[in-house]
């Protein structure tokens, strides 16, 4: 569904991605794990055309989308919940969700929001509350819900577990699974390697801007290197 | 005075509270009233004599106590029927906000009605209407800038440039080509909007301080060009003899070749007619600005402005094109400044670059910021504070800027988000009834 071929991305002179190859099949949950600063977020942003990749190709459903601006990518059926949630703090939950629906023609708005509220009943309870006053977990739900409002076929999530309590992390991952079962392909960038690898069909490990390892979630979980580097300290 | 505590579950106790409160009121009132009312010093010759006015004093104390008791009882009645804690979480602030939220339309309509009735009030003189007109110009400019700064979050320090473009558009088109106000008005808006886009392009990638500096420069460039390009704008001398407005073609003169306004309506000539007409014109223009902004906030473009203010990266990830959003905000904000500018021209009959200094930009920006970025009602309140109050306190003119500064500091300390800081949601959903889990009905469709 999404194919990333030899992508190099630079911030000025700094090469943040050094030739990344990665593919995501239809209906999969694929996770990308790696240490801080490895370039995971950069890869997600590169798919979204900002920053642009200097070398390499990004192909989505057979169409080359390298260099397509972000606002057009959403219309192709890719949605993103960026790192740090980035919900609109002064807007209510409902308005945040409306913002997510802007790329659509609005004709199925009621049904779409119903679907999001079914996934996240908490959001429905709090629909008149301002985004900034939600708890961290609720904000994350809102960020995912907002991304879902554009009815994506491919959902890119950047660290949805960031700063959340273990119980809430588990809830969020449950919901990601549900979303996937609805037929949405998920690309999940995570620090929380244990949960991510358990949930994902396949995983990639990124170190310093390159992919060093790949395999099914189970394989990676069992890999001693991974255990030492990312799962140390238990879970 | 201490707030009475009303125990809703025990009515007798609350009446006792009222009595206690009344007693306290009486004591305080008496203590205050003795020196203020009861004793009066009078000069007899060169000596001071003390007179007493006990009767008046007791009457006033009585009135105070009676008033206090009435208020207490009124509150009691309002609170009693409720359950002990009607709102568990909502504090007084939230309640006030909710009340304001529900009634904001009402307040707005009342305010508008008052403004419309003002010229016919017995107390209103030519002076009142003049101040009112000035006030409304600033309200309109505040609303226009509110689109750029308040909604889209683009700090613009050169807004007056668009005001100038509008003013000069009308001034030049009417004096050089003899075009009428009603033709020039939309053109002035159009020109100003064009300048908005011209400014918008280079600053697309800038935010915050950098944007502020560039816009500040832009405002100055326009003024400097108007001052120095003498062949075009007559330079510092300005343009005079700008046609005054007509009532859709019927002039307000005492006598004219064509039918005049007073002849049209068969009333006696009065110089007041034109003043009142100008007042209504700016009221309509300001009303248009407000109406437009309120509508925009519900449409995708207006939503995108607000989203852009909150988080540009999030906007991109949601498929909003920041370029279009910013340019539309600059263009539309500028357009209203253009309208206001051409109104200014026709009202003054004279324009010169001096009217468009940075000070004007600063005042308009202060109106938006003090009002609470993005709040339409806040703009009105702030414009009142910054335009009308200084007018009333003309005697303290030397201290005007000082007071202005003090007020700014105070507001920023006490209410950093502005007088009406909290953003009104464009839509509120009703709480769902218990049973029907089926749908959430928004008040307004998307
Ligand atoms: N806007 C930027 N300008 C310059 N350098 C950047 C920028 N954004 C990221 N970088 C650099 O690129 C590298 C990769 O960053 P990135 O945010 O992609 O890491 P990450 O894997 O998402 O890390 P984390 O898990 O901490 O979010 C880092 O060295 C970072 O400093
Ligand atoms: Mg990251």
């Amino acid at each position: 569904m999404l194919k990333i071929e030899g992508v190099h991305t630079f911030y000025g002179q700094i090469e943040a991605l050094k030739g990344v190859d990665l593919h995501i099949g239809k209906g999969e949950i694929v996770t990308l794990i790696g240490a801080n600063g490895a370039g995971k977020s950069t890869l997600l942003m590169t798919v979204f055309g900002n920053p642009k990749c200097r070398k390499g190709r990004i192909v989505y459903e057979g169409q080359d989308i390298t260099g397509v601006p972000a606002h057009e990518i959403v219309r192709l059926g890719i949605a993103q919940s960026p790192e740090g949630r980035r919900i609109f703090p002064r807007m209510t939950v409902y308005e945040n969700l409306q913002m997510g629906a802007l790329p659509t023609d609005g004709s199925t708005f009621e049904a779409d929001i119903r679907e999001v509220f079914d996934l996240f009943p908490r959001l429905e309870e709090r629909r008149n509350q301002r985004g900034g006053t939600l708890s961290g977990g609720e904000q994350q739900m809102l960020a995912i819900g907002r991304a879902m409002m554009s009815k994506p076929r491919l959902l890119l999530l950047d660290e949805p577990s960031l700063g959340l309590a273990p119980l809430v992390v588990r809830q969020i991952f449950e919901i990601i699974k549900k979303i996937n079962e609805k037929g949405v392909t998920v690309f999940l960038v995570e620090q929380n390697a244990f949960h991510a690898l358990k949930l994902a069909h396949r995983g990639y490990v990124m170190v310093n801007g390159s992919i060093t390892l790949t395999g099914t979630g189970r394989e990676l979980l069992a890999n001693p290197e991974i255990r030492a580097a990312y799962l140390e300290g238990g879970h | 005075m201490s707030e009475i505590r009303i125990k809703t579950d025990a009515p007798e106790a609350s009446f006792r509270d009222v009595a206690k409160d009344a007693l306290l009121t009486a004591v305080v009132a008496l203590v205050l009233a003795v020196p203020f009312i009861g004793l009066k010093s009078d000069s007899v010759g060169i000596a001071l004599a003390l007179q007493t006015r006990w009767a008046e004093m007791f009457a006033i104390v009585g009135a105070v106590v009676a008033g206090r008791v009435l208020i207490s009882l009124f509150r009691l009645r309002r609170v009693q029927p409720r359950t002990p804690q009607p709102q568990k979480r909502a504090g007084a602030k939230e309640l006030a906000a909710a009340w304001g939220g529900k009634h904001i339309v009402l307040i707005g309509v009342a305010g508008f009605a008052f403004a419309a009735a003002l010229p016919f009030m017995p107390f209103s003189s030519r002076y009142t209407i003049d101040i009112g007109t000035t006030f409304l110009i600033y309200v309109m400019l505040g609303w226009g800038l509110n689109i750029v700064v308040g909604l889209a979050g683009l700090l613009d320090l050169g807004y007056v440039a668009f005001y100038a473009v509008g003013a000069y558009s009308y001034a030049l088109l009417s004096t050089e080509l003899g075009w009428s106000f009603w033709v020039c008005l939309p053109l002035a808006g159009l020109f100003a909007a064009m300048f908005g886009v011209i400014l918008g392009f280079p600053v697309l990638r800038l935010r915050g301080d950098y944007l502020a500096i560039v816009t500040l420069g832009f405002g100055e460039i326009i003024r400097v060009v108007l001052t120095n390009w003498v062949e075009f704008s007559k330079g510092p001398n300005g343009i005079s003899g700008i046609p005054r407005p007509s009532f859709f073609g019927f002039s307000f003169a005492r006598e004219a070749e064509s039918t005049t306004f007073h002849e049209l309506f068969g009333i006696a000539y009065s110089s007041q007619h034109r003043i009142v007409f100008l007042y209504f014109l700016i009221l309509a223009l300001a009303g248009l600005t407000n109406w437009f902004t309120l509508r925009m906030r519900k449409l995708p473009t207006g939503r995108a402005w607000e989203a852009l203010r909150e988080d540009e990266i999030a906007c991109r990830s949601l498929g909003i094109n920041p370029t279009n959003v910013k340019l539309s905000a600059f263009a539309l904000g500028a357009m209203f400044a253009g309208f206001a500018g051409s109104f200014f021209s026709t009202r003054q009959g004279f324009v010169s670059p001096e009217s468009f200094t940075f000070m004007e930009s600063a005042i308009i920006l202060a109106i938006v910021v003090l009002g609470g970025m993005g709040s339409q009602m806040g703009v009105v309140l702030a414009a009142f504070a910054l335009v009308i109050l200084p007018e009333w306190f003309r005697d303290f003119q030397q201290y005007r800027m000082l007071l202005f500064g003090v007020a700014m500091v105070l507001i920023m300390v006490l209410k950093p988000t502005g007088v009406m800081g909290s953003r009104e949601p464009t839509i509120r959903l009703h709480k769902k009834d218990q049973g029907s889990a089926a749908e959430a009905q928004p008040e307004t469709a998307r």
Side-chain angles (χ1 to χ4, degrees):
Chain A
M1 185 171 211
L2 185 76
K3 220 184 234 159
I4 295 171
E5 299 170 351
V7 161
H8 292 254
T9 300
F10 288 76
Y11 290 112
Q13 287 304 307
I14 303 163
E15 187 171 14
L17 297 181
K18 303 165 181 165
V20 173
D21 290 295
L22 181 153
H23 71 94
I24 300 165
K26 208 171 180 66
E28 271 188 314
I29 301 180
V30 174
T31 186
L32 176 66
I33 59 174
N36 289 116
K40 307 180 298 292
S41 302
T42 304
L43 182 62
L44 273 202
M45 297 302 281
T46 306
V47 171
F48 250 69
N50 181 39
K52 288 195 167 64
C53 65
R54 202 174 287 182
K55 245 163 69 188
R57 250 162 44 102
I58 301 166
V59 182
Y60 170 70
E61 291 185 333
Q63 181 187 354
D64 190 339
I65 59 165
T66 328
V68 174
H71 51 94
E72 282 167 34
I73 290 198
V74 177
R75 289 183 173 72
L76 298 174
I78 309 181
Q80 181 196 32
S81 157
E83 185 169 15
R85 298 157 199 160
R86 295 192 171 273
I87 52 148
F88 302 116
R90 300 223 287 167
M91 295 192 182
T92 64
V93 167
Y94 189 82
E95 287 171 328
N96 264 281
L97 293 175
Q98 282 186 317
M99 291 308 304
L102 280 193
T104 68
D105 60 7
S107 57
T108 55
F109 178 76
E110 291 302 326
D112 298 343
I113 201 163
R114 189 68 255 149
E115 209 167 306
V116 169
F117 282 156
D118 285 343
L119 281 172
F120 304 101
R122 275 291 265 285
L123 293 184
E124 182 162 24
E125 285 167 29
R126 303 186 169 264
R127 60 190 166 209
N128 286 330
Q129 191 173 332
R130 280 164 217 273
T133 62
L134 294 175
S135 78
E138 289 159 356
Q139 290 191 3
Q140 186 59 59
M141 295 177 188
L142 182 55
I144 299 177
R146 187 181 62 181
M148 289 297 291
M149 288 301 291
S150 65
K151 295 208 284 182
R153 276 164 288 158
L154 173 61
L155 179 63
L156 312 180
L157 299 173
D158 197 342
E159 296 203 38
S161 72
L162 190 76
L164 301 185
L167 187 71
V168 185
V169 173
R170 218 163 301 147
Q171 282 177 4
I172 297 274
F173 277 61
E174 279 298 310
I175 290 165
I176 294 174
K177 195 169 171 189
K178 268 198 216 162
I179 290 175
N180 179 247
E181 281 160 4
K182 285 171 183 273
V184 179
T185 309
V186 176
F187 185 42
L188 175 65
V189 166
E190 258 303 335
Q191 284 283 344
N192 196 327
F194 176 71
H195 274 115
L197 289 173
K198 247 177 68 177
L199 174 73
H201 302 113
R202 289 190 304 115
Y204 289 88
V205 181
M206 184 178 260
V207 177
N208 270 332
S210 319
I211 302 288
T212 55
L213 259 180
T214 171
T216 64
R218 200 159 303 188
E219 279 165 15
L220 290 176
L221 261 182
N223 185 312
E225 267 176 69
I226 305 272
R227 297 195 74 89
Y230 303 105
L231 302 173
E232 210 64 325
H235 265 285
Chain B
M1 222 160 283
S2 73
E3 181 68 85
I4 53 161
R5 270 160 300 149
I6 294 165
K7 298 193 192 84
T8 48
D9 39 354
E12 304 96 315
S14 19
F15 281 113
R16 217 172 38 233
D17 276 351
V18 171
K20 251 192 348 216
D21 185 67
L23 197 68
L24 189 70
T25 310
V27 172
V28 173
L30 206 60
V31 168
L32 289 174
V34 168
F36 284 141
I37 304 163
L39 301 174
K40 181 172 182 265
S41 60
D42 238 352
S43 51
V44 180
I46 47 167
L48 266 182
L50 217 52
Q51 293 181 342
T52 54
R53 296 187 294 187
W54 301 126
E56 289 98 326
M57 189 190 82
F58 280 116
I60 287 175
V61 169
V64 168
V65 172
R68 179 75 201 179
V69 168
L70 272 180
I71 293 175
S72 305
L73 287 176
F74 181 63
R75 284 208 196 149
L76 201 65
R77 266 196 28 194
R78 282 222 319 207
V79 176
Q80 256 185 357
R82 301 235 189 115
T83 45
Q85 282 163 312
Q87 300 272 344
K88 265 189 211 136
R89 295 227 189 94
K93 238 185 178 167
E94 302 267 301
L95 282 177
W99 190 88
K102 257 184 241 143
H103 297 262
I104 202 140
V105 177
L106 217 72
I107 298 171
V109 171
F112 191 80
F114 175 77
L118 182 71
F120 309 112
M121 297 280 188
F123 60 80
S124 67
S125 58
R126 178 180 173 149
Y127 175 68
T128 331
I129 298 171
D130 257 339
I131 298 188
T133 308
T134 309
F135 167 69
L136 285 172
I137 292 182
Y138 280 98
V139 169
M140 177 168 177
L141 288 170
W143 278 337
L145 185 60
N146 208 10
I147 294 177
V148 186
V149 178
L151 293 182
L154 304 163
L155 186 51
D156 184 350
L157 291 184
Y159 191 62
V160 78
F162 308 122
Y163 188 39
V165 168
Y168 271 84
S169 303
Y170 175 61
L172 288 170
L173 288 176
S174 61
T175 52
E176 305 285 326
L177 304 177
W179 291 5
S180 90
F181 179 77
W182 296 106
V183 176
C184 294
L185 182 73
L187 283 178
L190 195 71
F191 287 143
M194 262 166 50
F195 273 84
V197 173
I198 291 173
L199 169 67
F201 263 115
V203 302
L204 274 177
R205 308 184 49 149
L206 304 180
R207 300 222 79 182
D209 326 6
Y210 302 103
L211 177 64
I213 292 169
V214 175
T215 52
L216 175 73
F218 183 78
E220 286 301 287
I221 289 172
I222 297 278
R223 190 178 60 82
V224 170
V225 167
L226 287 176
T227 312
N228 292 298
W229 193 0
V230 180
E231 305 87 74
F232 174 70
S233 65
K234 302 215 170 65
N237 297 333
I239 299 170
S240 51
I242 300 169
R244 313 310 297 265
S246 59
F247 184 80
F248 306 98
F250 302 98
S251 107
F252 285 101
R254 187 185 293 275
E255 273 158 40
E257 282 143 38
S258 58
T259 326
T260 64
F261 176 77
H262 67 278
E263 286 165 4
L264 178 72
F265 286 95
I267 45 180
Y269 169 78
S270 154
S271 61
Q272 191 98 345
H273 288 158
R274 180 165 70 213
I275 312 290
V276 172
F277 175 71
L278 279 171
Y279 176 84
F280 278 116
L281 184 56
I282 188 67
L283 184 63
L285 286 172
L288 176 78
T289 313
N290 183 34
W291 176 81
F292 180 85
T293 310
L294 290 180
R295 296 257 15 119
M296 271 323 261
R297 271 193 61 189
K298 294 195 175 151
L299 297 177
T301 312
R303 282 308 175 76
W305 290 340
E306 289 194 77
L308 192 74
R309 174 192 66 199
E310 310 253 304
D311 197 323
E312 188 165 342
I313 294 189
C315 280
R316 283 181 199 275
S317 77
L318 293 178
I320 295 166
N321 183 352
T323 307
N324 295 349
V325 175
K326 283 186 191 176
L327 288 182
S328 63
F330 271 121
L332 290 171
M335 181 180 82
F336 289 111
F339 291 157
S342 60
F343 174 82
F344 173 82
S345 256
T346 189
R347 177 190 187 210
Q348 303 289 336
F350 169 75
V351 290
S352 80
E354 255 161 67
S355 307
F356 309 105
T357 57
F358 171 65
M359 196 55 216
E360 291 297 309
S361 285
I363 290 180
I364 304 166
L365 185 67
I367 287 174
V368 174
V369 174
L370 285 186
M373 312 263 261
S375 162
Q376 297 292 95
M377 193 65 85
V379 164
V380 179
L381 294 180
F384 187 83
L386 293 184
V387 179
I388 304 250
L389 290 188
E391 211 40 66
W392 278 350
F393 295 107
R394 251 179 193 285
D395 300 344
F396 306 103
Q397 195 141 33
Q398 292 116 304
Y399 306 109
R400 225 153 128 175
M401 289 321 284
L402 186 70
L403 291 176
F404 187 76
V406 170
M408 282 291 241
V409 170
L410 276 183
I411 291 194
M412 286 299 119
V413 168
L414 298 176
K415 215 147 177 342
T417 49
V419 185
M420 301 271 289
S422 63
R423 171 183 173 280
E424 262 310 296
T426 49
I427 180 171
R428 264 175 211 279
L429 297 173
H430 299 301
K431 275 272 168 293
K432 199 172 55 181
D433 313 314
Q434 290 299 331
S436 66
E439 65 252 288
Q441 283 298 332
E443 273 171 20
T444 358
R446 225 174 67 86

